[in-house]
Amino acid sequence: MSSARSLMRSTAPFPMTKIQQQPQLIIRTKAVGELPRLVRKAGHQCVVITDSHLRSKANELSLEIKKAGLPCSLLTVPAGEKSKSLVVVEELCEALVKTGLGRDGVLVALGGGVIGDLAGFVASVYMRGIPFISVPTTVIAMADSSLGGKTGVDLASGKNLVGTFYPPMAILMDPTLLETLPDREFKAGCAEIIKHGVIHDERFFTFLEKNRESILARKPALILKMLKQSAKVKLTIVGEDPREALPARPNSTNRSRMLLNYGHTIGHALEKLSEYTLPHGEAVAIGMIEENRIAVKKGILTKDAATRISTLIENFGLPTKLPKEATMARMKKLIARDKKKVGSSIYFALPTGIGSADLFPYDLA
Ligand SMILES: NC(=O)c1ccc[n+]([C@@H]2O[C@H](COP(=O)([O-])OP(=O)(O)OC[C@H]3O[C@@H](n4cnc5c(N)ncnc54)[C@H](O)[C@@H]3O)[C@@H](O)[C@H]2O)c1
Ligand SMILES: [Zn+2]
């Protein structure tokens, strides 16, 4: 463990000032090549957890770890959100015991947000917590779920209702892993990246406007630049409020992690309405456009800025229109169930311009 701790401290390319554990973040082409070295530093045995779509990549990586002289097993769960459940957590923990993994072991999460959330949660509770390394393979996981230390699984009553704050010891972001990602998943992840530009970084937003074609053509240099800047925004916001504990109230210098919720209050309601058939990033894209309407109505966002945001979302090939079934009455009902509700108010994170945002109460009563 002492070697893992010193590793956590060694390089932190982005500010994560108030997070207890500083994961080492490596963003570069062929970053996964670092995995055997990191695993060897962290433990004496390794288990890779992945999903059924990534099994052959996971096999390759476990062979590399074995070549480096460390026992390594592979556990695969079915691809998809259904695997984010307590039943699967129990199955994985039983399987880990069978591999002989002890407290000197390390878990590797290879996959999208589902695997990151699930394996991270397992790492946080198995034998009261063992180190894990996150290897995200979707844009959502690289831009969002692998950063910020949240793990979790779903209950029948709702998504992400059981979880922990448990940052990985290292995050390896390798854009070559995105080569096999279907186009729709790729674009959906870009919605979260656009969100980061809108709420925190106008220059980054302009970079996305200028380089949209090359990003969608997956030019490695542009993808790297985009991932690095996007991570910087997310980690800056998370570093100010790692446990989402700052009070939700409007404040011109707002540092609440809830700012990351822009597009998500309406986005989550749309996901629920579609019974989770609408991909998260697409729901967030529509959510950002609809929440902009509220911001324009409140007089906190200009019409021009709102148009610039919707144009970028549309140019990234993301949906912009509310589905017909999303009536006002249905949406209000779903929004009222949002787990980020405070008393009888929902706080919307709304842009106040391009590159800034704040929290505003919306009374549901
Ligand atoms: N912890 C957080 O802070 C946080 C933040 C955002 C989202 N999330 C969670 O993330 C999940 C969504 O993540 P996601 O969109 O990555 O979904 P996902 O993990 O289900 O991946 C989407 C699909 O792409 C496949 N896939 C993954 N990588 C691939 C690759 N490189 N090539 C080909 N196919 C690949 C997967 O098998 C899956 O079928 C949700 O459960 C959400 O709650 C968590
Ligand atoms: Zn999101």
Side-chain angles (χ1 to χ4, degrees):
M1 271 308 282
S2 66
S3 59
R5 276 206 202 106
S6 58
L7 192 66
M8 283 172 217
R9 259 187 257 121
S10 60
T11 42
F14 300 112
M16 295 188 68
T17 46
K18 288 169 199 161
I19 238 171
Q20 291 147 339
Q21 290 176 308
Q22 290 271 9
Q24 184 178 15
L25 175 57
I26 302 177
I27 310 183
R28 66 173 162 76
T29 308
K30 306 260 187 313
V32 283
E34 295 287 328
L35 191 58
R37 181 183 66 79
L38 288 170
V39 165
R40 235 163 22 134
K41 271 193 152 182
H44 293 102
Q45 194 188 345
C46 167
V47 175
V48 177
I49 297 181
T50 196
D51 78 24
S52 44
H53 293 158
L54 291 153
R55 196 171 162 93
S56 69
K57 187 75 211 168
N59 252 327
E60 249 175 61
L61 291 184
S62 2
L63 279 178
E64 291 302 316
I65 294 167
K66 281 183 191 155
K67 270 196 221 154
L70 222 71
C72 183
S73 316
L74 175 57
L75 299 176
T76 310
V77 301
E81 187 71 27
K82 282 213 169 92
S83 284
K84 257 179 66 174
S85 75
L86 286 169
V87 172
V88 176
V89 169
E90 186 175 359
E91 286 168 2
L92 283 172
C93 289
E94 291 286 5
L96 289 177
V97 174
K98 288 198 181 109
T99 67
L101 195 81
R103 290 188 50 81
D104 60 346
V106 54
L107 282 189
V108 172
L110 175 81
V114 164
I115 290 298
D117 279 8
L118 172 69
F121 182 72
V122 168
S124 73
V125 293
Y126 182 69
M127 300 210 173
R128 300 201 174 85
I130 59 168
F132 87 106
I133 298 174
S134 173
V135 186
T137 63
T138 63
V139 179
I140 288 263
M142 292 191 190
D144 198 0
S145 59
S146 69
L147 302 165
K150 284 184 181 175
T151 79
V153 293
D154 306 331
L155 294 181
S157 342
K159 262 178 65 118
N160 300 320
L161 291 178
V162 175
T164 51
F165 284 100
Y166 195 74
M169 53 164 287
I171 304 156
L172 300 182
M173 264 185 222
D174 184 340
T176 58
L177 291 174
L178 296 176
E179 281 163 10
T180 52
L181 191 68
D183 227 36
R184 190 170 178 190
E185 299 282 354
F186 184 91
K187 288 176 177 162
C190 289
E192 300 281 1
I193 289 174
I194 293 170
K195 177 192 82 178
H196 289 156
V198 175
I199 61 174
H200 195 76
D201 189 341
E202 182 171 16
R203 272 180 63 190
F204 183 45
F205 186 90
T206 309
F207 163 87
L208 295 172
E209 286 179 323
K210 284 198 180 131
N211 295 289
R212 182 214 7 127
E213 277 181 32
S214 305
I215 291 167
L216 290 176
R218 306 197 196 183
K219 294 208 169 139
L222 269 303
I223 302 254
L224 267 182
K225 224 173 162 180
M226 172 180 88
L227 290 174
K228 282 184 184 171
Q229 196 52 33
S230 174
K232 200 168 178 171
V233 172
K234 170 127 194 204
L235 294 179
T236 301
I237 295 175
V238 166
E240 294 289 343
D241 182 18
R243 287 184 174 248
E244 211 163 62
L246 288 181
R249 73 169 74 97
N251 165 358
S252 59
T253 54
N254 212 315
R255 298 193 196 304
S256 167
R257 184 173 177 160
M258 278 175 76
L259 294 176
L260 291 164
N261 226 27
Y262 168 50
H264 282 65
T265 306
I266 290 184
H268 284 150
L270 289 173
E271 278 183 284
K272 274 185 234 155
L273 188 69
S274 76
E275 289 173 0
Y276 296 98
T277 54
L278 186 65
H280 176 73
E282 293 187 11
V284 170
I286 302 170
M288 287 192 282
I289 288 172
E290 290 303 316
E291 291 178 16
N292 283 355
R293 283 188 215 287
I294 300 175
V296 170
K297 241 190 195 164
K298 277 182 176 283
I300 57 172
L301 183 72
T302 64
K303 267 191 183 159
D304 284 355
T307 305
R308 219 176 130 194
I309 298 166
S310 39
T311 304
L312 185 62
I313 291 172
E314 190 169 7
N315 287 344
F316 262 87
L318 287 160
T320 54
K321 302 245 176 317
L322 274 178
K324 269 196 253 81
E325 58 278 18
T327 58
M328 190 73 166
R330 276 188 188 147
M331 292 298 285
K332 269 199 164 171
K333 224 175 177 177
L334 289 167
I335 288 170
R337 281 192 228 147
D338 196 297
K339 73 171 186 281
K340 289 185 176 153
K341 192 165 68 167
V342 183
S344 71
S345 281
I346 278 289
Y347 278 80
F348 275 95
L350 298 176
T352 50
I354 291 181
S356 59
D358 201 352
L359 297 176
F360 295 90
Y362 182 87
D363 206 347
L364 291 161

